[in-house]
Amino acid sequence: MAEARQALAAVMPGPGADVELRELPLPNLEPDSALLRIEFSEVCGTDVYLQQGRLAGVPYPIIPGHVSVGLLENIRGTLFDVDGRAFEEGERVTFLDVHRTCHQCWHCLVAKASTRCPHRKVYGITYGIEDGLTGGWSEYIYLKPGVRVLRMGEVASELYMAGGCSLPTALHAVDRAEIRLAESVLVLGSGPVGLSAIGFSVLSGAGRVLCIGAPDARLDAAMAMGADTTLNFMGNDDAARMDWVLSQTGGRGADVTIECTGAPEAVTQAMRYTRDAGRVVVVGQYTDHGETGFNPHLDLNKKHLDVRGCWGSDYSHFYRGLGVLRSERAAKLWSTMTLERFPLSHANDALQAVAEGRVTKALIVPER
Amino acid sequence: MAEARQALAAVMPGPGADVELRELPLPNLEPDSALLRIEFSEVCGTDVYLQQGRLAGVPYPIIPGHVSVGLLENIRGTLFDVDGRAFEEGERVTFLDVHRTCHQCWHCLVAKASTRCPHRKVYGITYGIEDGLTGGWSEYIYLKPGVRVLRMGEVASELYMAGGCSLPTALHAVDRAEIRLAESVLVLGSGPVGLSAIGFSVLSGAGRVLCIGAPDARLDAAMAMGADTTLNFMGNDDAARMDWVLSQTGGRGADVTIECTGAPEAVTQAMRYTRDAGRVVVVGQYTDHGETGFNPHLDLNKKHLDVRGCWGSDYSHFYRGLGVLRSERAAKLWSTMTLERFPLSHANDALQAVAEGRVTKALIVPER
Amino acid sequence: MAEARQALAAVMPGPGADVELRELPLPNLEPDSALLRIEFSEVCGTDVYLQQGRLAGVPYPIIPGHVSVGLLENIRGTLFDVDGRAFEEGERVTFLDVHRTCHQCWHCLVAKASTRCPHRKVYGITYGIEDGLTGGWSEYIYLKPGVRVLRMGEVASELYMAGGCSLPTALHAVDRAEIRLAESVLVLGSGPVGLSAIGFSVLSGAGRVLCIGAPDARLDAAMAMGADTTLNFMGNDDAARMDWVLSQTGGRGADVTIECTGAPEAVTQAMRYTRDAGRVVVVGQYTDHGETGFNPHLDLNKKHLDVRGCWGSDYSHFYRGLGVLRSERAAKLWSTMTLERFPLSHANDALQAVAEGRVTKALIVPER
Amino acid sequence: MAEARQALAAVMPGPGADVELRELPLPNLEPDSALLRIEFSEVCGTDVYLQQGRLAGVPYPIIPGHVSVGLLENIRGTLFDVDGRAFEEGERVTFLDVHRTCHQCWHCLVAKASTRCPHRKVYGITYGIEDGLTGGWSEYIYLKPGVRVLRMGEVASELYMAGGCSLPTALHAVDRAEIRLAESVLVLGSGPVGLSAIGFSVLSGAGRVLCIGAPDARLDAAMAMGADTTLNFMGNDDAARMDWVLSQTGGRGADVTIECTGAPEAVTQAMRYTRDAGRVVVVGQYTDHGETGFNPHLDLNKKHLDVRGCWGSDYSHFYRGLGVLRSERAAKLWSTMTLERFPLSHANDALQAVAEGRVTKALIVPER
């Protein structure tokens, strides 16, 4: 790093505005903090929502980019991993983008629902430039004291970023789904979370993994991630989709449905496409897109259904997500994800490509 | 019984028609079956729906009355309880109103969701007079081979009928709720299922039990069943109810909400009145009252909520429901339920009283 | 079948005696029963115990062979699968070797622990020749009314028999283990149940699957089934094994240990080899080999451990076990099992080969 | 407090030595810490073990007394409760005796087994006088930064101390037991943990609560806590106890057994006294008393049993334990516990009384 005193970063000035490049000062490291030189960050659906101003409580201007990987350039004091081993400068790492989960409040200590802790701050989303270099679309990111860092070890950076934030998100959802061997899993949505949910369902021993999504390129990606068969919802109305699901599941509906779409009506469809006494996990509703209708008698009560919301992820999902990628089989699945790289200067193009669904996974590569 | 060759029964001729008294022949007992002289049967919300023709697949004309208690008048062959002890004539018993759960189909054997077994028949609902004396609004009921019979033992008939069909229904719901000691439970609805859900929640060690219902007489009944406090939803709109729930739960919402109302919109309210990462059990939607709206982002995904439909009941809920009533404390709770008795000849009055919410629990006493 | 009025069967006359061939009469089919022409049956550890007289309540003389596959030669009346589809003569099928689970007793209906139903009878174990052709070491087996039959469909008979009775047994154990993605699983024992437990653990997404067993040929089979690494317990004492487990699991012990050995002391070892707050499933203790010692403070309480006994299997384990084998990936794993075929006339050799661990899986092929 | 610059404390100098009184300096409060004037502390079985030197890693000399209640005399900075409300000087509070659960290690973040966090320190057990006033047998105790404090609110100090450390311990155990309405619960042991386990089982809606313990005075206490019936194990050998359990549970054994004895052989008995497919919670083995024998086939595998170790407690158990005591019904149960008060100067008498089982619950009242 030597003489670099500034970091080039892509900044979202406010809702609706284009991203712009800025030179921002490097932080003075607090005790037990570090400076990370970013190798890759990502552009995900949340970043599109951020630009559209669809999320509440965002402290614009912000540097987007929550899940990132890079090299520990400077460490002040000591950073430990969960096994108590200190990190060294130069190590390739990622980190839990959620900071300041307090472990002191009712949500953390009584409900044990730490992803609902009201004190948590998320890099690239609820931290802004007022908080320093706190987003991955930047040459450097500041790992504040208490940030949980993870060694990449033998996992390639690009393989990990192929999952990116969808990795812990989808892993959490698949945990909640409690898939058992030979069960059928229907994934609604073929964006990054849907694709990772397919991969984890396959690895969990699902008997059949189905996907309803669009466009065709994403359904090809779904097949590459191990789906057994897919349906393009464009040109197939609700009735046609239902018929298709029933035809694929012995007339009963899926044992498990994982909703990863972002469309409110998909949650009701998820209930309908699932068999009696099955499980539905709702993980695609990260932004408020309004209400939808459902029939509590037919869709929930009579079906004896379990419907499980799934919010955020915690350290364990990052830790185990990385763990999964260590297996050769998982590596094969996630390496099928096509990545498109964008330099910082093309961050707006990246956002647009993601918004239009033109790329499966867009990475930000912050080289000058 | 001796010379009785006919049973007087109250028959629902068809949807919308009044109940009428008929003399029906006593059955020729098949091997390992029995004739039960009815002491009490009940009138529940389902019976009102039956008369209104709101349930699909009802083989009118039928004799209503599913949960009943009486004396074993004749046994042909042998009837065993679950411990292998044979029943004797003269014993006071009740029985699982669900017959012919097949234990051979995918629902029974693979999904282990026997309340969704497509072969089950329910006395007083999906059995009609074509099937014989198969409803409790009658002097006699025919316990076909395979009906699961339970000894009343020391449990008084009226105490048991104070719960009636709400006993297994609410017990199943409370099982699904997985209440833990000191948790707050909100029961929506103050009909028989709601009242029994209150009782079981109290017995499960809930820290606070809240009830939103109507009219005031039912809320008094809720207090008598052990609720800590209640709210009449008449005159309190959705926002006022939400404020009330938050004020009663430290601003967080209930740990558990059990929906027992019959109104579709109550399911969405249940989600909103429940705290992050809490549990909602939906047990009040036994008939199709149409759709309602909800916000998948706010009501489900962001809350990390569990919503659990709960359909029907099985033998274990009858067995354990009776077991609960053996405790002095439970007996005190259910003995607070006010019962109104109607002879067979006043079955229409009973139906009307239940439909209008004028009685908490209406019993049919089939004396001539 | 035409003129065949006799079936050749291998009969165990009593404890300690050699198996002998006998000609036994074909049954007169009761309504809704069938005659199955056996293609393959198997020799498992239980059969060795049967010959040694180590199991209580065996009605010698018996025809061994519980899990078998064959062709439906004659059907009287109708046999349905769980979807209500009737079987046809000539279909290739297997069946749930457990018969007469009553679905009427406390174990079945209240505890919902049907594998502990006291009325169940097992083909080849607790049915004897007094009950007819009730073992698979025979040209024909009599599928009594109520036997649950499963279509083989596209699953090859030999692939299925490579698992044999270890398939449902190990699947039940792995269900009980609740393996989550990226967890480490240690399997103790490398007999058929251990090998199938390895396969199911791999398919469940375990991060690492370890096996301690013997002899080396079996450990090669464990590797072929997908184990990541193995240890031969011969020549490695308890301390050496513990060191090895710790070295393989980051010093913490396995997340999950599945005991499949038959040796009482392995249950205590399983507790010790498992990490704090982990899970141990005990499925290898099917016969009484006496007591062993453990330290309740160190091995159980302080470790906050879950230890789960796992007895028998039910229809769902057969159904889902077959379902698993429909996947290409599973087929690859189980097809690595080396099978040795024995005609009926060499049943004693087969028993000896199994008793001495000389074969991984011995099949009985009842051709004349 | 004014001029008090010293606190009188009862100090255990080392294993085997008598407790002695010492004057120790009051702490200089660190930021966000407090000084608590002790109203009551307690003497529990662990304190007896401490004196006997039976626990590893104890930093003698120590001030015993882990669970305590008192008044906040001085606060430096701010202390928040889990709802973010600041404490004020003069408030009556208790605190989680476990300090420094790190929420950063593998146990905390991945296994989510924070009671096994290796960094935790326990007041009165693994903190010694080197760490300051860190035990409750003292006029004052130092609440270091990060200690989790709880308001007593309307719960009387003596009622709370009647439970003392057995309250969170037994609550954790009863959580692990997953008692369902109408199930039978057998509690082994009638010490404070056993008595609290009885109380929580009653409150959880157990159908019958049985206790095997000694001496008779403790069994009277068990009855007062709500047990339905008890057996004195003195004079009833293992076979007689088994007969008694079977006679009390319809011949099947208890649905749930909670072991709270401290005797290794009681863990095996717990398995034997429990019904097939039941649950055993082991919470009484807090010190190493050596090995015992069990039969893995008969006691575990064939029974399809769940055996669950239960170590320590966390904040939620304190929070919910206090919550339980807010109910009138719970208050009635725990108020039956006979308390014996000892001034600091009689701490040795208190220890002896507990060691000999002469008192149900001994409190230390640190008045000069």
Side-chain angles (χ1 to χ4, degrees):
Chain A
M1 184 181 71
E3 51 275 71
R5 298 268 63 92
Q6 301 274 320
L8 186 68
V11 174
M12 244 176 220
D18 275 358
V19 169
E20 58 191 39
L21 290 186
R22 295 195 194 169
E23 293 276 354
L24 294 168
L26 293 185
N28 293 317
L29 301 189
E30 296 160 277
D32 301 332
S33 72
L35 189 67
L36 184 73
R37 181 141 59 93
I38 298 292
E39 194 181 4
F40 298 109
S41 191
E42 65 171 333
V43 185
C44 83
T46 298
D47 299 311
V48 174
Y49 292 147
L50 282 171
Q51 199 192 24
Q52 297 172 344
R54 303 189 72 110
L55 274 75
V58 179
Y60 300 100
I62 65 164
I63 308 168
H66 35 289
V67 169
S68 312
V69 62
L71 299 176
L72 284 169
E73 180 131 335
N74 275 95
I75 299 175
R76 180 176 171 201
T78 324
L79 262 68
F80 292 106
D81 69 9
V82 289
D83 294 318
R85 284 190 305 145
F87 286 95
E88 294 180 15
E89 294 182 354
E91 285 197 271
R92 193 166 50 91
V93 301
T94 187
F95 63 97
L96 176 60
D97 57 348
V98 181
H99 190 215
R100 289 185 15 194
T101 302
C102 74
H103 301 298
Q104 299 195 354
C105 71
W106 179 87
H107 284 86
C108 285
L109 293 185
V110 181
K112 296 179 185 176
S114 69
T115 69
R116 297 297 304 136
C117 169
H119 303 97
R120 61 210 285 274
K121 290 287 182 182
V122 186
Y123 273 79
I125 300 178
T126 56
Y127 268 144
I129 66 174
E130 281 289 309
D131 304 296
L133 291 172
T134 52
W137 299 9
S138 169
E139 288 177 308
Y140 290 99
I141 201 164
Y142 177 35
L143 303 182
K144 293 168 180 260
V147 167
R148 306 304 316 155
V149 181
L150 301 98
R151 272 186 195 83
M152 295 299 296
E154 67 268 41
V155 177
S157 297
E158 278 147 306
L159 179 68
Y160 175 70
M161 293 305 296
C165 66
S166 79
L167 209 68
T169 302
L171 179 55
H172 192 181
V174 169
D175 275 359
R176 291 272 280 163
E178 297 180 290
I179 297 166
R180 299 199 309 167
L181 288 166
E183 286 193 321
S184 57
V185 178
L186 168 63
V187 175
L188 298 186
S190 52
V193 175
L195 293 173
S196 282
I198 290 168
F200 287 125
S201 298
V202 168
L203 293 177
S204 296
R208 267 180 95 61
V209 180
L210 316 172
C211 178
I212 299 180
D216 285 341
R218 289 279 180 89
L219 298 181
D220 292 345
M223 294 298 289
M225 279 297 281
D228 290 282
T229 180
T230 67
L231 183 77
N232 192 319
F233 66 79
M234 309 292 287
N236 283 289
D237 65 11
D238 205 359
R241 292 176 221 167
M242 177 64 105
D243 285 349
W244 180 79
V245 172
L246 294 178
S247 75
Q248 294 292 333
T249 56
R252 285 188 290 256
D255 291 312
V256 168
T257 300
I258 305 178
E259 182 280 328
C260 316
T261 69
E265 62 275 18
V267 175
T268 304
Q269 290 163 11
M271 298 182 199
R272 292 177 185 167
Y273 300 162
T274 305
R275 58 123 163 138
D276 285 357
R279 282 143 278 149
V280 172
V281 177
V282 175
V283 70
Q285 309 290 321
Y286 264 56
T287 312
D288 186 355
H289 287 283
E291 295 217 341
T292 193
F294 80 119
N295 183 307
H297 169 66
L298 294 174
D299 297 334
L300 191 49
N301 197 345
K302 190 175 181 185
K303 292 192 85 155
H304 198 81
L305 209 61
D306 268 36
V307 182
R308 301 169 183 176
C310 184
W311 186 255
S313 44
D314 68 22
Y315 178 83
S316 74
H317 306 111
F318 276 72
Y319 179 92
R320 289 170 48 230
L322 258 180
V324 167
L325 291 183
R326 287 202 182 93
S327 85
E328 201 181 330
R329 184 163 184 237
K332 269 187 198 160
L333 295 180
W334 270 266
S335 65
T336 65
M337 301 270 275
T338 53
L339 303 174
E340 196 151 341
R341 293 139 187 260
F342 296 85
L344 281 177
S345 55
H346 286 59
N348 287 304
D349 299 340
L351 274 168
Q352 204 171 339
V354 168
E356 296 171 2
R358 277 189 284 112
V359 299
T360 304
K361 192 76 196 175
L363 297 192
I364 297 290
V365 188
E367 291 156 351
R368 281 196 184 236
Chain B
M1 184 179 70
E3 52 274 71
R5 298 269 64 93
Q6 301 274 321
L8 186 67
V11 174
M12 243 177 222
D18 274 356
V19 168
E20 58 191 40
L21 290 185
R22 296 194 194 169
E23 294 275 354
L24 295 169
L26 293 185
N28 294 317
L29 300 188
E30 297 161 275
D32 301 330
S33 73
L35 189 66
L36 183 74
R37 181 141 58 94
I38 298 292
E39 193 180 4
F40 297 110
S41 190
E42 66 171 334
V43 184
C44 83
T46 299
D47 298 312
V48 174
Y49 291 147
L50 283 171
Q51 198 192 23
Q52 296 171 345
R54 301 189 73 109
L55 273 77
V58 178
Y60 301 99
I62 65 164
I63 308 168
H66 34 290
V67 169
S68 312
V69 62
L71 300 177
L72 284 170
E73 179 129 337
N74 274 95
I75 299 175
R76 179 175 173 202
T78 323
L79 262 67
F80 292 106
D81 69 9
V82 288
D83 294 317
R85 283 191 304 143
F87 286 95
E88 292 180 16
E89 295 183 352
E91 286 197 271
R92 191 166 51 91
V93 301
T94 185
F95 62 97
L96 175 61
D97 57 347
V98 180
H99 189 215
R100 289 187 13 197
T101 301
C102 76
H103 302 296
Q104 300 195 353
C105 72
W106 179 87
H107 284 86
C108 286
L109 292 184
V110 181
K112 297 181 185 175
S114 69
T115 69
R116 298 297 303 137
C117 169
H119 303 98
R120 63 210 283 278
K121 290 285 182 185
V122 185
Y123 273 79
I125 300 178
T126 55
Y127 268 144
I129 65 173
E130 280 290 309
D131 304 296
L133 290 172
T134 53
W137 298 9
S138 168
E139 288 178 308
Y140 290 98
I141 201 165
Y142 177 36
L143 302 182
K144 294 169 181 262
V147 168
R148 305 305 314 155
V149 182
L150 300 97
R151 269 182 199 85
M152 295 300 295
E154 68 269 42
V155 176
S157 297
E158 278 147 307
L159 180 68
Y160 175 71
M161 293 305 296
C165 66
S166 80
L167 209 69
T169 302
L171 179 55
H172 192 182
V174 169
D175 275 359
R176 291 273 280 164
E178 296 180 289
I179 297 166
R180 298 198 311 166
L181 287 166
E183 286 193 322
S184 58
V185 177
L186 168 63
V187 174
L188 298 185
S190 51
V193 175
L195 294 174
S196 283
I198 289 168
F200 287 126
S201 297
V202 168
L203 293 176
S204 296
R208 267 180 94 61
V209 179
L210 315 172
C211 177
I212 299 179
D216 284 341
R218 290 278 179 91
L219 298 181
D220 292 344
M223 293 298 289
M225 280 298 280
D228 290 281
T229 180
T230 66
L231 183 77
N232 192 318
F233 67 79
M234 308 291 287
N236 283 289
D237 65 10
D238 204 358
R241 292 176 221 167
M242 176 64 104
D243 285 347
W244 180 81
V245 172
L246 294 178
S247 74
Q248 295 290 334
T249 57
R252 283 187 292 255
D255 292 314
V256 168
T257 300
I258 306 178
E259 183 280 328
C260 317
T261 69
E265 62 275 19
V267 175
T268 304
Q269 290 163 11
M271 297 183 199
R272 291 179 186 165
Y273 299 162
T274 306
R275 58 123 163 138
D276 286 357
R279 284 142 275 149
V280 172
V281 177
V282 175
V283 70
Q285 308 290 319
Y286 265 56
T287 311
D288 187 355
H289 287 284
E291 294 216 343
T292 192
F294 80 119
N295 183 308
H297 169 64
L298 295 174
D299 298 333
L300 191 50
N301 197 346
K302 191 175 181 186
K303 293 192 84 155
H304 198 83
L305 209 61
D306 268 36
V307 182
R308 301 169 183 176
C310 184
W311 186 256
S313 44
D314 67 24
Y315 178 84
S316 74
H317 306 111
F318 276 71
Y319 179 92
R320 288 171 49 230
L322 257 180
V324 168
L325 292 182
R326 284 199 185 96
S327 85
E328 201 182 329
R329 185 165 183 234
K332 270 187 198 161
L333 296 180
W334 270 268
S335 65
T336 65
M337 302 270 275
T338 53
L339 303 174
E340 197 151 341
R341 295 140 187 260
F342 296 85
L344 281 178
S345 54
H346 287 59
N348 287 305
D349 300 339
L351 273 169
Q352 204 170 339
V354 168
E356 295 170 3
R358 278 189 283 112
V359 299
T360 304
K361 193 77 197 176
L363 297 193
I364 297 290
V365 188
E367 290 156 352
R368 280 196 185 236
Chain C
M1 184 179 72
E3 50 276 71
R5 299 268 63 95
Q6 300 275 322
L8 187 68
V11 174
M12 244 176 222
D18 275 357
V19 169
E20 59 190 37
L21 290 185
R22 296 196 194 167
E23 294 275 355
L24 295 168
L26 294 185
N28 293 318
L29 301 188
E30 297 161 276
D32 301 330
S33 73
L35 189 67
L36 183 74
R37 179 141 60 94
I38 297 293
E39 194 181 4
F40 297 109
S41 189
E42 65 172 333
V43 185
C44 83
T46 300
D47 299 313
V48 174
Y49 292 147
L50 282 171
Q51 197 191 25
Q52 295 170 347
R54 301 189 74 108
L55 274 77
V58 179
Y60 300 100
I62 67 166
I63 308 169
H66 34 289
V67 170
S68 311
V69 63
L71 300 175
L72 284 170
E73 181 132 335
N74 274 96
I75 300 176
R76 181 177 170 199
T78 324
L79 261 68
F80 292 105
D81 69 10
V82 288
D83 294 317
R85 285 191 304 145
F87 286 95
E88 293 179 16
E89 293 182 354
E91 286 197 272
R92 191 165 52 90
V93 301
T94 185
F95 63 97
L96 175 60
D97 57 347
V98 179
H99 190 216
R100 291 189 10 200
T101 302
C102 74
H103 302 297
Q104 299 194 354
C105 71
W106 179 89
H107 284 86
C108 286
L109 293 185
V110 180
K112 296 180 186 176
S114 69
T115 69
R116 298 297 304 138
C117 168
H119 303 99
R120 63 209 284 274
K121 289 285 182 182
V122 186
Y123 273 78
I125 301 179
T126 55
Y127 269 144
I129 65 174
E130 280 290 310
D131 303 294
L133 290 171
T134 53
W137 298 9
S138 168
E139 288 177 307
Y140 291 98
I141 201 165
Y142 177 36
L143 303 182
K144 295 169 180 259
V147 168
R148 306 305 314 156
V149 181
L150 300 98
R151 270 184 197 83
M152 294 300 296
E154 67 269 45
V155 177
S157 297
E158 278 147 305
L159 180 67
Y160 175 70
M161 294 304 296
C165 66
S166 79
L167 209 68
T169 301
L171 179 55
H172 192 183
V174 169
D175 275 359
R176 292 270 282 163
E178 297 181 289
I179 297 167
R180 298 200 311 167
L181 287 166
E183 287 193 322
S184 58
V185 177
L186 168 62
V187 174
L188 299 185
S190 51
V193 174
L195 293 173
S196 282
I198 289 168
F200 287 126
S201 298
V202 168
L203 293 176
S204 297
R208 269 181 93 61
V209 179
L210 316 172
C211 177
I212 299 180
D216 284 340
R218 290 278 178 91
L219 297 181
D220 292 345
M223 293 299 289
M225 280 298 280
D228 290 283
T229 181
T230 65
L231 183 76
N232 192 318
F233 68 79
M234 309 292 287
N236 283 288
D237 65 11
D238 205 357
R241 292 175 221 166
M242 177 65 103
D243 285 347
W244 180 80
V245 171
L246 294 178
S247 74
Q248 295 291 332
T249 56
R252 285 189 290 257
D255 292 312
V256 169
T257 300
I258 305 177
E259 182 281 327
C260 318
T261 68
E265 62 275 20
V267 175
T268 303
Q269 290 164 10
M271 298 183 198
R272 292 177 184 167
Y273 299 162
T274 305
R275 57 117 162 143
D276 285 355
R279 283 143 277 151
V280 172
V281 177
V282 175
V283 69
Q285 309 290 321
Y286 264 56
T287 311
D288 187 355
H289 287 283
E291 295 216 344
T292 191
F294 80 120
N295 183 309
H297 169 65
L298 294 174
D299 298 333
L300 190 50
N301 197 346
K302 191 175 181 187
K303 293 193 84 156
H304 198 82
L305 209 62
D306 269 37
V307 182
R308 302 170 181 175
C310 184
W311 186 255
S313 44
D314 67 24
Y315 179 83
S316 74
H317 306 111
F318 276 71
Y319 179 91
R320 289 172 50 230
L322 257 180
V324 168
L325 291 183
R326 287 199 183 94
S327 85
E328 201 181 329
R329 185 165 183 234
K332 268 187 200 162
L333 296 180
W334 269 268
S335 67
T336 65
M337 301 270 276
T338 53
L339 304 173
E340 195 151 342
R341 295 139 188 260
F342 295 85
L344 282 177
S345 55
H346 287 60
N348 287 306
D349 298 340
L351 273 169
Q352 203 168 343
V354 169
E356 294 171 4
R358 276 189 284 113
V359 298
T360 305
K361 193 78 195 173
L363 298 191
I364 296 291
V365 189
E367 292 156 351
R368 277 190 190 244
Chain D
M1 183 179 73
E3 52 275 68
R5 296 269 66 93
Q6 301 274 321
L8 186 67
V11 174
M12 243 176 221
D18 275 356
V19 169
E20 58 193 36
L21 291 185
R22 297 194 194 170
E23 294 275 354
L24 294 169
L26 294 185
N28 293 317
L29 301 189
E30 297 161 276
D32 301 331
S33 73
L35 189 66
L36 184 74
R37 182 142 58 96
I38 297 292
E39 196 182 0
F40 297 110
S41 189
E42 65 172 334
V43 184
C44 81
T46 299
D47 299 312
V48 174
Y49 292 148
L50 282 171
Q51 198 191 24
Q52 295 171 346
R54 301 189 74 110
L55 275 76
V58 178
Y60 300 100
I62 66 165
I63 308 169
H66 35 290
V67 170
S68 312
V69 64
L71 300 176
L72 284 170
E73 180 130 337
N74 275 97
I75 300 177
R76 179 176 172 201
T78 324
L79 260 70
F80 292 105
D81 70 8
V82 288
D83 295 317
R85 284 191 303 146
F87 286 96
E88 293 179 16
E89 295 182 354
E91 286 197 270
R92 193 165 50 91
V93 301
T94 185
F95 63 97
L96 175 61
D97 56 347
V98 180
H99 190 216
R100 288 184 20 194
T101 303
C102 75
H103 301 297
Q104 299 194 355
C105 71
W106 179 89
H107 284 87
C108 285
L109 293 184
V110 181
K112 295 179 186 176
S114 70
T115 69
R116 297 298 303 137
C117 169
H119 303 99
R120 63 208 285 273
K121 289 286 181 183
V122 187
Y123 273 78
I125 300 179
T126 57
Y127 268 143
I129 65 173
E130 281 289 309
D131 304 295
L133 290 172
T134 51
W137 298 9
S138 170
E139 288 177 305
Y140 291 98
I141 201 165
Y142 177 36
L143 303 182
K144 295 168 179 261
V147 167
R148 306 305 314 156
V149 182
L150 301 98
R151 270 184 197 84
M152 294 300 295
E154 66 270 40
V155 176
S157 297
E158 277 147 307
L159 179 67
Y160 175 70
M161 293 305 297
C165 66
S166 79
L167 209 69
T169 302
L171 179 54
H172 193 183
V174 169
D175 275 0
R176 292 273 280 165
E178 297 180 289
I179 297 167
R180 299 198 311 167
L181 287 165
E183 286 192 322
S184 58
V185 178
L186 168 63
V187 174
L188 299 185
S190 52
V193 175
L195 293 174
S196 283
I198 289 168
F200 287 125
S201 298
V202 168
L203 293 176
S204 297
R208 268 180 94 61
V209 179
L210 316 172
C211 178
I212 300 180
D216 284 340
R218 290 279 179 90
L219 298 181
D220 292 345
M223 293 299 288
M225 281 296 281
D228 290 282
T229 180
T230 66
L231 183 77
N232 192 319
F233 67 78
M234 309 291 287
N236 284 289
D237 65 10
D238 204 359
R241 293 176 221 168
M242 177 64 105
D243 285 347
W244 180 81
V245 171
L246 293 179
S247 74
Q248 295 291 333
T249 57
R252 285 188 290 257
D255 291 312
V256 169
T257 300
I258 305 177
E259 182 281 326
C260 317
T261 68
E265 62 274 20
V267 176
T268 304
Q269 290 163 10
M271 299 183 198
R272 291 178 185 166
Y273 300 162
T274 305
R275 59 125 162 135
D276 285 357
R279 283 144 277 147
V280 172
V281 177
V282 175
V283 71
Q285 308 290 320
Y286 265 56
T287 311
D288 186 355
H289 288 282
E291 296 217 342
T292 191
F294 81 119
N295 183 310
H297 168 65
L298 295 174
D299 298 333
L300 190 50
N301 198 346
K302 191 175 181 186
K303 293 192 86 154
H304 198 81
L305 209 60
D306 268 36
V307 182
R308 301 169 183 175
C310 185
W311 185 254
S313 44
D314 66 25
Y315 179 83
S316 74
H317 306 111
F318 277 71
Y319 179 92
R320 289 171 50 230
L322 257 180
V324 167
L325 291 182
R326 288 201 181 94
S327 85
E328 201 182 328
R329 183 164 186 237
K332 269 188 200 161
L333 296 180
W334 270 268
S335 65
T336 64
M337 301 270 276
T338 53
L339 303 174
E340 196 150 343
R341 294 138 187 259
F342 295 86
L344 281 178
S345 55
H346 286 60
N348 287 307
D349 298 340
L351 273 169
Q352 204 170 341
V354 169
E356 294 170 3
R358 277 190 282 112
V359 298
T360 304
K361 192 76 194 176
L363 298 192
I364 297 290
V365 188
E367 292 156 350
R368 275 189 190 243

